[in-house]
Amino acid sequence: MEKDLIEYIAKSLVDDPDAVSVTETEGDRGSVIQLKVADSDIGKVIGKYGRIAKALRTVLSASAVRDGKRYSLEILD
């Protein structure tokens, strides 16, 4: 569910929603959600001073509390 949430938000932010790719892997400290967007849209996902990236991570952690899991978000270049 968290993967779908990040994908939905990212597709809403970018100009090229078809280039959005979200994968989920298991890491040492919980699940890791990796977000990849087109090179021209990377700034829209990160935001000025990283504010949008921080907001995405906040929404992800708030959603994960319900499941009792730990998630982290990586934005890939």
Side-chain angles (χ1 to χ4, degrees):
M1 173 170 158
E2 283 78 11
K3 176 184 168 189
D4 298 331
L5 176 65
I6 294 298
E7 184 175 4
Y8 176 77
I9 294 171
K11 284 185 176 184
S12 299
L13 291 172
V14 298
D15 290 332
D16 186 10
D18 295 331
V20 173
S21 171
V22 179
T23 58
E24 183 176 350
T25 59
E26 288 296 322
D28 296 339
R29 300 178 63 197
S31 296
V32 178
I33 295 180
Q34 297 176 333
L35 173 63
K36 180 145 179 73
V37 297
D39 290 338
S40 60
D41 290 329
I42 194 80
K44 291 180 176 139
V45 173
I46 294 174
K48 195 174 214 178
Y49 303 111
R51 288 184 180 147
I52 294 176
K54 183 177 178 184
L56 283 170
R57 289 183 176 105
T58 302
V59 168
L60 181 63
S61 65
S63 174
V65 166
R66 183 179 56 189
D67 296 337
K69 288 186 166 183
R70 285 187 57 105
Y71 285 94
S72 62
L73 177 67
E74 289 181 359
I75 301 172
L76 304 175
D77 295 348

